[in-house]
Amino acid sequence: MSMSTQAGWFEDRIAAAVAPLLPGFAVEAVAEIDSTNTELMRRARAGHTPPVLLVAERQTAGRGRLGRPWQSAQQSEEKTAASLTFSLGLPLAPRDWSGLSLAVGVSVAESLDPSGDAKVALKWPNDLWVNDRKLAGILIETAMPHAGRADVPAPPRYLVIGIGINIGPREAEGMRTPPAWLRQWRPDATAPDVLAELAAPLVRSVQTFEAQGFAPFAERFAARDALRGREVQLSDGSFGLCEGVAWGGELQVRTAEGLQMISSDEVSVRPRGMAFEGPR
């Protein structure tokens, strides 16, 4: 892990905004790391579970959903980061974890595109799209810290939310569909500015989810749903008409066998005719 960063990441500003919501919250910025999610999961399994936001200018072994690699974009000619990769870690104890990645997606989409004019859409269960091109991805992981003494209640699970966002243009070689990037409609956007915009609303959204589940986010997700009303194909070979997302976060697909409620993390879905993705 390389600690010397080239950019100023507004660590104090972000910490000041989030600390009232999460006492003990800290922000760490590093130049290079294998994976911000992997690092926070390592810490959690070792019993180190304070709330923290870890941002890296470059990840050498970034991960996406289903184990797919996430490749950090190369620095632009202007020497500004072409991607934003960070992870938020905090203890969390919701009654039901269903729909968490969707709630996180809603929060990120609303921060990046508050008016909806840029048409940032949410693709179940963990991607942000613009015109069917991937702008950002979300990876949710949890760890159970060591309980310690038998007479002490077990601590809550430690949640790690990894987010990768394309800020500037990136190489599309090896990708089945060229990506989208934020500067297409926000030409002056920088990774540090975007992180400062996202952090506090993201924490508030996670805390809302902990208290109330997915229900407060359901209609907001529906307003940006990239798949609703479209013919979709699942990675298991089945296909049907997407009828949106249920109140518990399940994807609803009407197939020849009837309405299917899909919640498995092992199933991918795409609009019919679009190839399933490889490495990002």
Side-chain angles (χ1 to χ4, degrees):
M1 182 166 61
S2 175
M3 301 297 294
S4 179
T5 61
Q6 297 185 19
W9 285 97
F10 306 118
E11 293 99 318
D12 292 344
R13 173 178 154 194
I14 295 170
V18 174
L21 306 171
L22 279 178
F25 177 78
V27 180
E28 301 177 21
V30 298
E32 183 175 291
I33 199 170
D34 55 352
S35 160
T36 54
N37 257 46
T38 298
E39 172 63 18
L40 294 190
M41 290 291 285
R42 278 193 292 256
R43 297 181 190 181
R45 290 176 180 132
H48 188 64
T49 58
V52 63
L53 188 153
L54 175 63
V55 59
E57 293 177 353
R58 182 171 181 267
Q59 292 191 119
T60 59
R63 295 178 293 112
R65 183 170 170 262
L66 304 181
R68 300 186 183 102
W70 172 275
Q71 300 164 351
S72 296
Q74 296 298 310
Q75 195 176 59
S76 69
E77 294 180 0
E78 293 82 13
K79 304 300 182 184
T80 58
S83 61
L84 169 62
T85 54
F86 71 96
S87 295
L88 172 68
L90 70 161
L92 204 74
R95 287 190 296 259
D96 185 352
W97 291 87
S98 302
L100 175 56
S101 66
L102 281 62
V104 170
V106 168
S107 180
V108 174
E110 290 177 348
S111 290
L112 297 179
D113 178 28
S115 68
D117 291 345
K119 307 298 183 187
V120 173
L122 295 164
K123 186 257 157 192
W124 186 95
N126 67 328
D127 287 343
L128 280 71
W129 281 5
V130 177
N131 296 324
D132 286 353
R133 297 185 175 193
K134 186 171 178 176
L135 171 71
I138 297 161
L139 176 63
I140 304 287
E141 299 183 284
T142 64
M144 181 61 77
H146 293 300
R149 291 172 20 208
D151 60 338
V152 176
R157 295 190 73 86
Y158 192 75
L159 168 67
V160 178
I161 301 170
I163 298 176
I165 303 171
N166 297 326
I167 302 297
R170 61 177 299 164
E171 177 59 55
E173 184 177 353
M175 297 183 183
R176 293 184 177 93
T177 304
W181 59 90
L182 188 60
R183 290 192 191 125
Q184 288 176 302
W185 73 92
R186 290 178 55 180
D188 297 326
T190 67
D193 285 335
V194 173
L195 181 63
E197 294 170 10
L198 292 177
L202 176 59
V203 170
R204 284 193 291 268
S205 293
V206 171
Q207 291 178 326
T208 297
F209 179 90
E210 181 179 35
Q212 303 177 49
F214 179 64
F217 301 92
E219 291 186 1
R220 292 151 64 190
F221 185 95
R224 294 179 182 263
D225 192 338
L227 300 178
R228 187 174 60 169
R230 301 174 71 174
E231 289 284 336
V232 297
Q233 180 174 352
L234 306 180
S235 55
D236 63 6
S238 60
F239 59 87
L241 178 68
C242 179
E243 296 189 357
V245 169
W247 287 96
E250 305 90 347
L251 186 71
Q252 303 176 112
V253 179
R254 188 165 298 279
T255 70
E257 289 74 36
L259 185 64
Q260 309 296 316
M261 304 286 282
I262 300 166
S263 58
S264 172
D265 289 338
E266 299 304 316
V267 175
S268 292
V269 60
R270 283 287 181 273
R272 198 169 181 184
M274 179 183 289
F276 288 93
E277 67 182 25
R280 300 301 301 173

